[in-house]
């Protein structure tokens, strides 16, 4: 008989397998000119999935640019994730009825989302909410001032903030060893006076244990936590990068031996929770789900050209009104031929 923990692990694996399939298709879309520059989450599927499973509906999530699995588990449709990476900001308008209704959009600038997360955590504390704020970042973000500022205020004010670092060993082409002299990124919590935890980012069970504890601690008013999840970026930094120029093939090969999707699948199979037939059936379902998302994305109507002005000013300056009216005429012509 399956336990709730078993069901959670199976859900995690199915999500990780789906997101890996989605990720591969997204890269293919970019290579064929049907998607903009895309940030792969290859190798980080366990981190994003664990985060999505550990969060509750009342929590807040402040993502960075590799959090496709978390947003999917929060209720953001896959086609909407593609919409954002296709250059349409409407992809960041998360469904109002989903768990993502309180979440911030994707953040591409490095570490700027962390001070925003601290602000949200401050507001949640002032409102006496039983809610946590989870913010994610990469290892490179821990060398930015925003990172230290967010941790400092979280420690001083005992904010319900959890910062989850995906330490995938590379800040674009800069290896982790050249970014900081700290023995571990988790050690950076010491200066803020908050707990710092290091965890294997390829181990789904370990991630869930650490995240569950840190988030519940935050909800209970016991303050912030910094989590460093050790992983390895199996992809290029983005589709605009070529990691072979700075990364050893032998290091990449070694990292593939410990990648999280196969690791969890093997663990479930050993426990009798997964088998070859389930794997075949699920991979076929992943193909159907992702193809449906791609078809929906490719057939979305374009955003009105007037959006570039309608959402820029509270009140449109008189000097731009004629331009806005001209764009509206162009929109009508495009939509009606």
């Amino acid at each position: 008989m399956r336990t709730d923990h078993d069901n959670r692990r199976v859900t995690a694996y199915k999500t990780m397998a789906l997101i890996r399939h989605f990720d591969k298709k997204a890269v293919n879309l970019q290579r064929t000119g049907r998607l903009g520059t895309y940030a792969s989450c290859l190798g980080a599927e366990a981190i994003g999935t664990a985060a999505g499973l550990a969060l509750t509906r009342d929590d807040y999530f402040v993502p960075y640019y590799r959090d496709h699995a978390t947003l999917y588990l929060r209720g953001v449709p896959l086609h909407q994730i593609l919409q954002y990476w296709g250059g349409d900001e409407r992809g960041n308008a998360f469904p109002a009825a989903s768990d993502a209704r309180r979440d911030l959009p994707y953040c591409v600038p490095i570490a700027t989302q962390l001070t925003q997360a601290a602000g949200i955590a401050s507001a949640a504390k002032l409102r006496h909410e039983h809610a946590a704020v989870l913010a994610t970042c990469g290892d490179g973000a821990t060398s930015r001032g925003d990172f230290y500022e967010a941790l400092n205020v979280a420690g001083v004010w005992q904010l319900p903030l959890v910062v989850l670092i995906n330490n995938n060993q590379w800040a674009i082409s800069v290896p982790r060893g050249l970014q900081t002299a700290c023995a571990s990124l988790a050690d950076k919590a010491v200066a803020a006076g908050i707990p710092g935890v290091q965890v294997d980012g390829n181990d789904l069970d370990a991630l869930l244990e650490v995240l569950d504890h840190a988030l519940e601690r935050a909800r209970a008013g016991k303050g912030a936590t910094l989590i460093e999840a050790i992983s390895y970026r199996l992809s290029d930094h983005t589709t605009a990068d070529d990691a072979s120029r700075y990364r050893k093939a032998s290091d990449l090969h070694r990292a593939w031996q410990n990648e999280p999707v196969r690791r969890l699948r093997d663990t479930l199979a050993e426990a009798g929770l997964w088998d070859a037939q389930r794997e075949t059936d699920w991979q076929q379902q992943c193909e159907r789900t992702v193809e449906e998302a791609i078809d929906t994305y490719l057939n979305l109507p374009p955003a009105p050209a007037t959006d570039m002005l309608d959402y820029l000013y509270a009140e449109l300056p008189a000097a731009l009104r004629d331009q806005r009216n001209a764009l509206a005429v162009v929109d009508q012509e495009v939509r009606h031929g």
Side-chain angles (χ1 to χ4, degrees):
M1 181 176 178
R2 282 190 185 181
T3 64
D4 289 342
H5 178 61
D6 290 338
N7 290 332
R8 198 183 193 196
R9 296 165 81 201
V10 171
T11 297
Y13 174 71
K14 292 170 77 172
T15 301
M16 290 163 62
L18 174 63
I19 292 300
R20 177 160 290 186
H21 193 80
F22 168 83
D23 194 75
K24 181 179 179 180
K25 292 286 189 176
V27 172
N28 290 341
L29 285 171
Q30 191 279 331
R31 298 306 191 204
T32 55
R34 294 178 290 174
L35 199 70
T37 298
Y38 173 74
S40 171
C41 63
L42 189 64
E45 294 91 349
I47 297 172
T49 297
L53 291 174
L55 288 164
T56 69
R57 182 172 174 80
D58 290 332
D59 291 333
Y60 300 85
F61 180 52
V62 183
Y64 85 130
Y65 46 80
R66 299 194 198 278
D67 289 317
H68 320 315
T70 313
L71 289 174
Y72 170 73
L73 285 170
R74 298 286 280 167
V76 180
L78 292 178
H79 76 262
Q80 200 167 330
I81 295 175
L82 291 173
Q83 186 179 18
Y84 168 75
W85 291 103
D88 189 337
E89 287 290 344
R90 293 176 300 176
N92 270 331
F94 301 150
S98 73
D99 289 356
R101 73 197 190 286
R102 309 180 87 173
D103 299 347
L104 265 60
Y106 277 110
C107 184
V108 174
I110 306 302
T112 58
Q113 75 278 16
L114 299 177
T115 47
Q116 295 165 3
I120 295 171
S122 179
K125 181 175 182 176
L126 289 171
R127 291 195 291 256
H128 303 289
E129 296 181 22
H130 186 72
V133 181
L134 176 64
T136 56
C137 65
D139 46 297
T142 69
S143 297
R144 300 282 298 180
D146 312 69
F147 173 84
Y148 292 100
E149 292 161 6
L151 286 192
N152 186 64
V153 73
V156 172
W157 291 351
Q158 289 191 298
L159 298 181
L161 175 64
V162 177
V163 175
L164 174 61
I165 306 166
N166 172 13
N167 180 4
N168 63 26
Q169 312 304 316
W170 294 96
I172 309 183
S173 60
V174 180
R176 175 246 181 277
L178 295 180
Q179 292 179 52
T180 179
C182 280
S184 77
L185 300 182
D187 287 347
K188 297 192 176 189
V190 175
I194 64 174
V197 183
Q198 189 179 75
V199 63
D200 185 346
N202 292 324
D203 187 332
L204 188 281
D205 289 325
L207 282 162
L208 284 174
E209 182 178 350
V210 168
L211 279 163
D212 284 342
H213 176 76
L215 289 168
E216 187 49 47
R217 184 175 177 276
R219 295 181 197 114
K222 296 180 180 179
T225 304
L226 177 66
I227 301 172
E228 176 191 7
I230 305 295
S231 68
Y232 195 90
R233 196 189 74 213
L234 298 174
S235 65
D236 297 327
H237 173 67
T238 69
T239 50
D241 176 45
D242 178 6
S244 67
R245 297 173 59 190
Y246 54 81
R247 187 171 62 187
K248 293 180 180 178
S250 58
D251 290 344
L252 180 61
H253 175 76
R254 186 162 47 252
W256 270 106
Q257 308 314 304
N258 194 41
E259 62 92 357
V261 178
R262 184 177 64 184
R263 181 170 168 178
L264 181 56
R265 183 178 70 235
D266 291 347
T267 299
L268 294 178
E270 291 172 5
L273 299 172
W274 201 254
D275 55 35
Q277 187 58 55
R278 288 188 179 96
E279 178 67 15
T280 298
D281 293 344
W282 184 246
Q283 288 297 334
Q284 292 173 350
Q285 181 60 49
C286 288
E287 176 71 20
R288 289 191 294 269
T289 300
V290 173
E291 287 302 321
E292 289 174 5
I294 291 172
D295 185 64
T296 299
Y297 157 67
L298 293 176
N299 287 285
L300 289 171
T306 50
D307 278 5
M308 70 177 77
L309 296 177
D310 289 345
Y311 300 103
L312 189 60
Y313 298 96
E315 293 185 14
L316 192 65
L320 293 178
R321 289 173 189 164
D322 288 344
Q323 293 183 41
R324 199 270 177 203
N325 292 336
L327 286 172
V329 172
V330 172
D331 276 336
Q332 289 296 319
E333 291 175 349
V334 169
R335 292 176 186 279
H336 301 291

